[in-house]
């Protein structure tokens, strides 16, 4: 009896699992590679527990949604519950059997085969067409090309929603242009979206087929936002474009820029007091890969140079991409110096060869430099004496000269000397008081400006003219330089700086 009971239990379980009240159905048995696929598990029962499915055939489940239907026939109530699973397969797979618990009993679904095929590019006559077009297929590194994505909708076809994949090309920088062109062509309504493609390295590349989606609104069966967007209230149709091949040639001549450029360097002044900054502005304008111009570093003997980071503006003018490169420098010195010509080399698109352009050199005159007031050593006048001159004759000459000198000194000369000394003393006192007054006048504006300074850059510009005047100022300038040009976070005590200027 025990053995017969076990056989009956196994047989009953087998019948429940085999002849189940659950089923698995595919939305479609064939899908395009990378497109959204979905399958449904449907169960009849009041209490249904669906399996937790994270992936199918190695492809992650992207979303799920559930629904139920209750019907009453001749007083008999029945309930059907379904759950939909969505994923994106890249190859054909078998969806395995899943176990579902219905009203306390375990049931199994039948496995199902899903075929995945490659999608062929659209052709004339299709409802929706996507085309890729470029203005060139071969270009030099540093140049750019224009990619037009043309979406065509047959004139007799209606749609409510539209979406597309953003073009992604390995080793290319892609920038979308703002203008969208609407037109018509051979029975199709067209919409063209344009992109600029900038190659980042030489080589052969393929612009892969781009996929576009056209959708129509359907009655919403699901409350889940994922399914509402993909296949709930929108029924999508997709199509793919053609592909394009590109060849990017390396730039010759060891240069990094391509196009047509001009260069100009200007200063805010050509005469400056010692240790006051001269502000140099370097500009490069033109059509080409302006964003690839590197930061310039200047070296000038006997100067301190503080370079700012470049500012780059770009534009699209009559289909030509270009812009302006601007970099500023603060240059400080205690002597005259010359800003040399600044060179910039690029591959000229018109000459089809490497070209170097240069700015003009600029001479700077430094005023009030201590180097200009250094005392010069003067040689003492030499007295030539003939070898025939006797020593006694020399003594006679000396005595005679001394006698003449004593004769010339008189009371009148002494009084004149006293008066001159008195006048010089009064003049010195007046000059000294004026110098002190001027110093106080100079101190007052710098102190007011220091109090008003709100940034490290303002402090740096105010203190730069005082470089090398004291160790304290040089230390503060060094800290400010680190903050401005090396991303440091040194704390600057402005009160100590003001106290310094009050005490000098």
């Amino acid at each position: 009896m025990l053995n017969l009971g076990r056989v009956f239990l196994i047989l009953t379980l087998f019948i429940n699992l085999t002849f189940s009240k659950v089923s698995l159905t595919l939305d479609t048995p064939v899908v395009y590679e990378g497109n959204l696929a979905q399958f449904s598990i449907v169960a009849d029962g009041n209490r249904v527990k669906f399996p937790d499915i994270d992936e199918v055939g190695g492809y992650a489940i992207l979303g799920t949604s559930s629904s139920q239907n209750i019907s009453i026939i001749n007083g008999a109530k029945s309930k059907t519950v379904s759950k939909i699973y969505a994923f994106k397969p890249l190859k054909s797979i078998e969806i395995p059997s899943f176990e579902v618990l219905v009203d306390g009993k375990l049931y199994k679904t039948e496995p199902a085969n899903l075929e995945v095929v490659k999608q062929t590019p659209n052709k004339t006559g299709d409802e929706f067409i996507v085309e890729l077009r470029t203005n060139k297929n071969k270009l030099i590194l540093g140049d750019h090309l224009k990619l037009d994505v043309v979406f065509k909708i047959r004139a007799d076809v209606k749609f409510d929603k539209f979406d597309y994949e953003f073009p992604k090309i390995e080793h290319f920088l892609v920038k979308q242009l703002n203008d969208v062109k609407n037109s018509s062509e051979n029975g199709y309504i067209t919409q063209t979206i344009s992109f600029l493609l900038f190659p980042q390295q030489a080589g052969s590349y393929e612009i892969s087929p781009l996929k576009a989606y056209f959708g129509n609104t359907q009655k919403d069966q699901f409350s889940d936002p994922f399914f509402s967007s993909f296949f709930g209230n929108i029924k999508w149709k997709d199509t793919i474009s053609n592909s394009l091949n590109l060849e990017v040639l390396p730039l010759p001549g060891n240069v990094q820029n391509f196009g047509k450029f001009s260069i100009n360097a200007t200063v805010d002044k050509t005469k400056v007091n010692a240790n006051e900054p001269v502000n140099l502005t370097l500009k490069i304008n033109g059509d080409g890969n302006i964003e690839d111009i590197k930061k310039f570093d200047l070296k000038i003997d006997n100067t301190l140079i503080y370079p700012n980071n470049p500012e780059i503006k770009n534009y699209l003018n009559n289909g030509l991409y270009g812009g302006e490169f601007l970099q500023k420098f603060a240059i400080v010195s205690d002597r005259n110096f010359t800003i040399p010509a600044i060179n910039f080399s690029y591959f000229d698109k018109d000459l089809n060869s490497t070209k170097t352009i240069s700015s003009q050199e600029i001479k700077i005159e430094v005023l009030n430099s201590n180097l200009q007031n250094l005392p010069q050593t003067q040689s003492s006048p030499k007295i030539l004496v003939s070898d025939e001159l006797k020593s006694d004759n020399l003594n006679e000459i000396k005595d005679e000269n001394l006698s003449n000198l004593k004769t010339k000194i008189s009371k009148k000369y002494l009084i004149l000397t006293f008066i001159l000394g008195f006048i010089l003393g009064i003049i010195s006192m007046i000059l000294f008081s004026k110098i002190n007054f001027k110093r106080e006048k100079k101190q007052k504006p710098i102190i007011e400006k220091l109090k008003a300074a709100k940034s490290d850059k303002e402090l740096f510009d105010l203190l730069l003219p005082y470089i090398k005047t004291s160790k304290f100022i040089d230390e503060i300038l060094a800290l400010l330089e680190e903050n401005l040009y090396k991303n440091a976070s040194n704390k600057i005590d402005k009160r100590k700086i003001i106290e310094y200027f009050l005490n000098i």
Side-chain angles (χ1 to χ4, degrees):
M1 290 291 293
L2 183 61
N3 290 337
L4 288 175
R6 286 183 176 177
V7 172
F8 178 76
L9 179 61
I10 293 171
L11 184 60
T12 303
L13 182 61
F14 176 77
I15 292 172
N16 284 340
L17 292 175
T18 306
F19 304 99
S20 64
K21 297 169 65 176
V22 299
S23 62
L24 184 148
T25 57
L26 291 169
D27 180 58
T28 175
V30 180
V31 296
Y32 287 125
E33 178 184 345
N35 276 13
L36 196 71
Q38 57 177 323
F39 63 90
S40 305
I41 298 179
V42 181
D44 296 326
N46 294 315
R47 292 177 291 110
V48 178
K49 179 174 174 52
F50 289 101
D52 294 325
I53 305 173
D54 297 324
E55 55 87 20
V56 176
Y59 302 103
I61 296 298
L62 302 176
T64 62
S65 185
S66 300
S67 64
Q68 64 179 13
N69 180 43
I70 300 175
S71 61
I72 301 174
I73 301 175
N74 297 326
K77 180 180 177 183
S78 63
K79 180 179 178 183
T80 301
V81 184
S82 63
K83 188 169 186 178
I84 301 177
Y85 301 82
F87 62 107
K88 284 187 175 183
L90 299 177
K91 62 180 181 180
S92 299
I93 61 168
E94 180 186 70
I95 299 175
S97 174
F98 296 105
E99 294 181 347
V100 184
L101 191 62
V102 180
D103 296 331
K105 294 181 180 180
L106 197 61
Y107 297 89
K108 270 192 173 182
T109 64
E110 292 290 333
N113 291 315
L114 176 66
E115 185 181 0
V116 177
V117 296
K118 284 188 176 293
Q119 190 171 5
T120 56
N122 38 220
K123 60 184 182 298
T124 303
D126 290 348
E127 291 182 341
F128 306 103
I129 296 177
V130 183
E131 287 184 8
L132 301 183
R133 302 171 183 173
T134 59
N135 61 335
K136 63 182 82 172
N137 295 95
K138 182 183 288 187
L139 66 161
I140 294 178
L141 186 65
D143 195 4
H144 67 279
L145 63 90
K146 185 182 179 184
L147 171 67
D148 289 332
V149 182
V150 184
F151 302 95
K152 297 182 177 181
I153 302 94
R154 209 170 62 197
D156 62 334
V157 175
K158 304 294 182 182
F159 70 97
D160 301 313
K161 290 282 187 177
F162 162 71
D163 200 1
Y164 67 95
E165 295 176 348
F166 193 86
K168 294 179 181 178
I169 310 166
E170 187 179 13
H171 302 305
F172 273 79
L173 179 65
V174 181
K175 287 189 175 183
Q176 183 174 347
L177 301 180
N178 292 327
D179 58 326
V180 177
K181 297 179 181 178
N182 296 296
S183 184
S184 61
E185 179 182 315
N186 299 326
Y188 285 87
I189 299 170
T190 66
Q191 185 178 81
T192 303
I193 300 176
S194 299
F195 302 84
L196 293 181
L197 307 184
F198 300 86
Q200 302 301 297
Q201 69 180 50
S204 298
Y205 301 96
E206 180 189 40
I207 302 179
S208 300
L210 184 144
K211 185 171 289 188
Y213 305 90
F214 300 86
N216 288 303
T217 304
Q218 302 290 319
K219 184 178 179 181
D220 194 357
Q221 304 174 34
F222 311 106
S223 58
D224 188 287
F226 175 85
F227 281 84
S228 293
S229 63
F230 273 101
F231 42 79
N233 62 338
I234 301 293
K235 187 66 175 179
W236 293 98
K237 287 186 178 181
D238 57 65
T239 184
I240 64 169
S241 72
N242 56 306
S243 61
L244 293 173
N245 294 316
L246 303 175
E247 185 178 359
V248 180
L249 304 175
L251 268 171
N254 196 29
V255 293
Q256 296 180 335
N257 293 90
F258 174 92
K260 194 78 173 177
F261 299 98
S262 63
I263 190 171
N264 185 39
T266 57
V267 293
D268 59 343
K269 46 188 170 286
T270 55
K271 291 184 179 181
V272 64
N273 290 322
N275 298 321
E276 286 185 359
V278 173
N279 295 305
L280 168 68
T281 300
L282 175 67
K283 287 184 180 180
I284 299 176
N285 296 276
D287 301 326
N289 57 331
I290 196 82
E291 293 175 342
D292 291 332
I293 299 178
K294 305 298 181 184
K295 180 179 179 179
F296 285 81
D297 289 321
L298 296 183
K299 291 184 179 179
I300 305 174
D301 292 340
N302 303 313
T303 65
L304 291 175
I305 302 176
Y306 302 95
N308 285 356
N309 289 324
E311 299 175 11
I312 297 176
K313 299 177 182 178
N314 52 51
Y315 57 73
L316 188 68
N317 185 20
N318 295 326
L320 296 176
Y321 181 83
E324 178 184 80
F325 171 95
L326 184 146
Q327 186 176 356
K328 294 184 178 181
F329 306 80
I331 307 174
V332 180
S333 184
D334 58 358
R335 64 195 72 187
N336 296 341
F337 63 92
T338 299
I339 300 172
I342 301 173
N343 301 322
F344 174 67
S345 297
Y346 66 95
F347 191 85
D348 192 290
K349 64 179 182 179
D350 295 334
L351 300 176
N352 201 31
S353 63
T354 301
K355 182 178 181 179
T356 299
I357 54 178
S358 305
S359 65
Q360 295 292 326
E361 69 172 30
I362 304 172
K363 295 185 180 296
I364 304 298
E365 182 182 355
V366 177
L367 308 174
N368 302 322
S369 173
N370 293 331
L371 298 175
Q372 297 173 356
N373 300 323
L374 291 176
Q376 298 181 354
T377 56
Q378 297 182 354
S379 57
S380 301
K382 294 182 179 178
I383 301 175
L384 298 178
V385 181
S386 172
D387 293 336
E388 297 178 355
L389 200 59
K390 304 285 185 179
S391 61
D392 54 346
N393 289 337
L394 285 171
N395 290 331
E396 289 178 4
I397 292 172
K398 289 179 181 178
D399 291 340
E400 185 178 351
N401 288 338
L402 285 171
S403 170
N404 291 335
L405 286 171
K406 288 178 181 178
T407 305
K408 290 179 181 179
I409 296 173
S410 63
K411 286 184 179 180
K412 186 177 180 181
Y413 179 77
L414 291 173
I415 293 169
L416 181 62
T417 302
F418 174 78
I419 293 170
L420 287 173
F422 180 75
I423 294 171
L424 287 173
I426 293 172
I427 292 172
S428 297
M429 291 177 64
I430 293 171
L431 288 174
F432 182 75
S433 63
K434 283 186 176 182
I435 289 170
N436 282 342
F437 177 73
K438 284 182 180 179
R439 183 180 293 173
E440 289 175 3
K441 263 185 103 176
K442 285 182 181 178
Q443 285 178 359
K444 188 175 180 181
I446 183 64
I447 290 170
E448 290 177 352
K449 289 177 181 178
L450 286 171
K451 290 179 179 179
K454 296 180 180 179
S455 66
D456 286 348
K457 186 68 171 67
E458 291 181 22
L459 276 177
F460 184 81
D461 291 341
L462 287 172
L463 297 178
L464 204 53
Y466 298 90
I467 192 170
K468 294 184 180 180
T469 58
S470 74
K471 183 180 178 182
F472 172 75
I473 294 297
D474 290 347
E475 288 174 351
I476 296 296
L477 283 170
L479 294 174
L480 289 168
E481 181 184 356
E482 289 178 358
N483 289 353
L484 293 171
Y485 302 105
K486 298 178 182 178
N487 295 323
S489 301
N490 299 314
K491 291 186 177 180
I492 308 300
D493 192 340
K494 199 161 67 172
R495 290 177 301 177
K496 288 186 178 180
I497 302 173
I498 293 171
E499 287 176 6
Y500 168 81
F501 280 96
L502 286 171
N503 294 328
I504 62 172

